Amino acid sequence: RANRSLLDAMSKPSSQRNAEAEIKLRQQIQSLTAQFETQNTSIATRFPKYQNLISQAPVSAAEIQKELAPDEAMVVYTVANIRAYAWVVTRNSVSFHALPVAGEEIEKQVQFLRSKLIPNASGQLAAMTPATSARLSQSIFAPLESSLTGIKHILLVADGALQSLPFGVLSSSQGGAPEWLAKRYAFSVLPSVSALRALRAFSQSETGKFPFAGFGDPVLIGDAGGTRNLNMANVFKTRSLDAGGGAATSNGLADVDALRKAPPLPETGDELRALSSVLNGSADALFLKQKATETLVKQSNLSDYRFLAFATHGVMAGELSGVMEPGLVLTPPASGSAQDDGYLSASEVAQLKLNADWVLLSACNTAAPDGTPGAEGLSGLAKAFFYAGSRSLLVSHWPVASEATQLLVTDTVSTYAKTPAMGKAEAIKQAMGRMMEKPEYAHPFYWGAFIVVGE
């Protein structure tokens, strides 16, 4: 807030600027920065495993190789202005690749591709030919394939605009039928190189004693036949929310009356019931309708559950006027309070105590922003669930089609539950493969948004 206030103050015409106020803001920023650094140092000392999860500290190739299975590779990208680079680390080799593309060109290609992956203003999907993503694939992935012989699972540490792109939607063919990378590789995304060691050490610890808890189908009174995104009106039911800039109050709480007018999501109840059935969950651990509240999220002992799912509207940072954090919409109370305003924000998620093998965020835009330069790679919402104690996440890169999401997520979890040894990335790879074979869901808009983070 202080940085934003200083920027606003400095942007005023010279005659309106207040030098004394600007000095005070700079002093405030300096003080806050010092406090921030002190707290970071304290956290790193007191919680070294947490620090390993989030840090960007260098890790030797040999240390990474010890963590990799024979059919796994870690692919690490660095995107610079004049060139992009990639490292491929397998159990037995390390290779370095200077890629034939610059950072600015990657940003253009990623934004172009994303524009083809979501419906336009009239709700129409653009045709996805192999050439649509083949150019980017030839630039950033094809040069690596000589180092990926025998690899089935890729642990991806992306950079720049590549952080906002699920690699499964890249095509290795330029004509004929698309050869999606999602057919050939299982992808997991990692927040950093060092996170691999931290997450795998974390995954060996004991998880919750109960199989599943799910929150969804909140009580909302909007147009059920309408949309969850005004740009897709009456064409696709998506799990995003356009609150028209008015769903927040001046005290920083979400406006419960505005949230209540969001479209209801009855199919999310079906999705959570199906997941509970697949995982042998208890009916008592399904928090639907009036039970899908922020209060119950905060009061429940969620550390008891191995799988946790939220199926509802997802909101990106800044989409709700006055609410600067991303979050999830739950059943709004009669009146809002700090305990419950119907909006579970990222900072509230970070204060939960979880012990989950997998958290499923079956909502929109829960992975990353829209690919614009400088956007962070994982949304604050995704990071918050890691910090709360999740070992891995299932998150989405764009506004997801609600019915297709129900099919994809249920199939993924069912596949994983039957054979956990295959891993989560392989489970969603197989579910995507079955989905893209159905003509009505062949477009990657339907199957390509979700990624596994962690593993």
Side-chain angles (χ1 to χ4, degrees):
R1 285 196 296 268
N3 277 321
R4 192 165 60 246
S5 296
L6 179 60
L7 182 62
D8 290 342
M10 294 172 63
S11 300
K12 293 179 179 179
S14 299
S15 60
Q16 298 179 23
R17 288 180 61 172
N18 185 327
E20 184 178 349
E22 292 178 19
I23 290 172
K24 288 182 178 179
L25 283 169
R26 285 193 173 91
Q27 291 172 341
Q28 182 185 9
I29 291 169
Q30 187 175 13
S31 173
L32 289 168
T33 301
Q35 292 177 47
F36 184 71
E37 290 174 353
T38 298
Q39 290 178 0
N40 271 344
T41 301
S42 174
I43 289 171
T45 303
R46 297 171 59 201
F47 307 102
K49 291 181 180 179
Y50 170 86
Q51 189 67 16
N52 286 339
L53 174 65
I54 66 167
S55 74
Q56 297 292 335
V59 180
S60 73
E63 290 177 281
I64 295 299
Q65 287 176 310
K66 291 177 184 178
E67 302 289 343
L68 296 175
D71 62 351
E72 288 184 324
M74 175 180 278
V75 175
V76 184
Y77 285 94
T78 292
V79 177
N81 290 335
I82 58 172
R83 202 75 182 264
Y85 307 90
W87 287 260
V88 178
V89 182
T90 69
R91 177 178 274 191
N92 299 313
S93 66
V94 180
S95 60
F96 173 72
H97 304 263
L99 304 177
V101 65
E104 185 177 357
E105 180 61 25
I106 286 177
E107 290 169 3
K108 290 179 181 177
Q109 290 190 36
V110 168
Q111 291 186 31
F112 168 76
L113 180 55
R114 284 182 60 98
S115 72
K116 303 297 182 183
L117 290 168
I118 58 176
N120 60 23
S122 59
Q124 301 299 312
L125 278 170
M128 270 294 278
T129 65
T132 306
S133 66
R135 182 184 175 194
L136 182 58
S137 183
Q138 288 297 311
S139 298
I140 66 168
F141 196 81
L144 315 183
E145 296 211 72
S146 61
S147 303
L148 295 172
T149 303
I151 297 301
K152 297 179 179 178
H153 180 204
I154 293 176
L155 296 144
L156 188 64
V157 183
D159 187 33
L162 295 180
Q163 296 174 107
S164 61
L165 181 73
F167 273 51
V169 304
L170 296 176
S171 173
S172 59
S173 63
Q174 299 192 47
E179 290 294 330
W180 307 115
L181 293 188
K183 288 184 175 181
R184 299 170 53 198
Y185 301 100
F187 289 96
S188 298
V189 174
L190 295 176
S192 67
V193 172
S194 58
L196 175 64
R197 186 174 52 187
L199 286 170
R200 289 200 162 165
F202 187 29
S203 69
Q204 295 169 12
S205 57
E206 190 173 332
T207 54
K209 57 185 176 181
F210 299 126
F212 177 77
F215 292 82
D217 191 11
V219 178
L220 305 169
I221 60 173
D223 181 5
T227 176
R228 271 160 264 179
N229 185 307
L230 294 181
N231 291 334
M232 304 178 190
N234 301 311
V235 181
F236 295 101
K237 289 191 72 179
T238 65
R239 294 181 185 178
S240 62
L241 176 66
D242 190 323
T249 60
S250 58
N251 60 7
L253 300 178
D255 184 334
V256 294
D257 293 327
L259 287 182
R260 193 175 287 112
K261 294 175 183 177
L265 308 172
E267 68 281 358
T268 61
D270 298 333
E271 179 181 324
L272 293 172
R273 282 185 284 268
L275 290 174
S276 180
S277 176
V278 164
L279 296 169
N280 297 316
S282 167
D284 294 340
L286 282 176
F287 299 89
L288 309 176
K289 299 287 188 184
Q290 288 84 0
K291 292 184 177 180
T293 65
E294 195 178 351
T295 296
L296 281 177
V297 170
K298 294 176 178 178
Q299 291 181 350
S300 300
N301 187 5
L302 298 182
S303 64
D304 278 343
Y305 298 98
R306 295 190 293 275
F307 286 79
L308 188 62
F310 290 85
T312 182
H313 290 292
V315 182
M316 291 176 67
E319 283 190 323
L320 298 184
S321 176
V323 179
M324 297 307 296
E325 297 183 67
L328 299 168
V329 175
L330 296 170
T331 296
S335 58
S337 66
Q339 169 69 11
D340 191 340
D341 61 355
Y343 186 69
L344 185 66
S345 67
S347 60
E348 291 173 317
V349 169
Q351 296 176 59
L352 300 176
K353 184 178 181 181
L354 308 182
N355 192 21
D357 181 38
W358 207 357
V359 172
L360 314 171
L361 300 184
S362 189
C364 284
N365 299 311
T366 48
D370 60 2
T372 54
E376 62 175 331
L378 283 176
S379 73
L381 187 63
K383 289 179 180 177
F385 275 99
F386 266 132
Y387 299 166
S390 173
R391 289 150 176 75
S392 54
L393 308 172
L394 185 69
V395 292
S396 66
H397 268 296
W398 54 73
V400 293
S402 206
E403 292 182 6
T405 295
Q406 179 183 346
L407 293 173
L408 180 68
V409 173
T410 304
D411 189 1
T412 297
V413 174
S414 175
T415 301
Y416 177 71
K418 291 174 184 174
T419 316
M422 74 168 52
K424 304 176 183 74
E426 178 63 24
I428 193 170
K429 171 182 175 285
Q430 293 187 15
M432 287 178 176
R434 286 185 284 269
M435 197 160 188
M436 67 179 70
E437 296 301 322
K438 299 177 182 180
E440 66 270 34
Y441 296 129
H443 195 288
F445 163 70
Y446 294 104
W447 53 261
F450 281 96
I451 59 169
V452 173
V453 182
E455 182 103 277

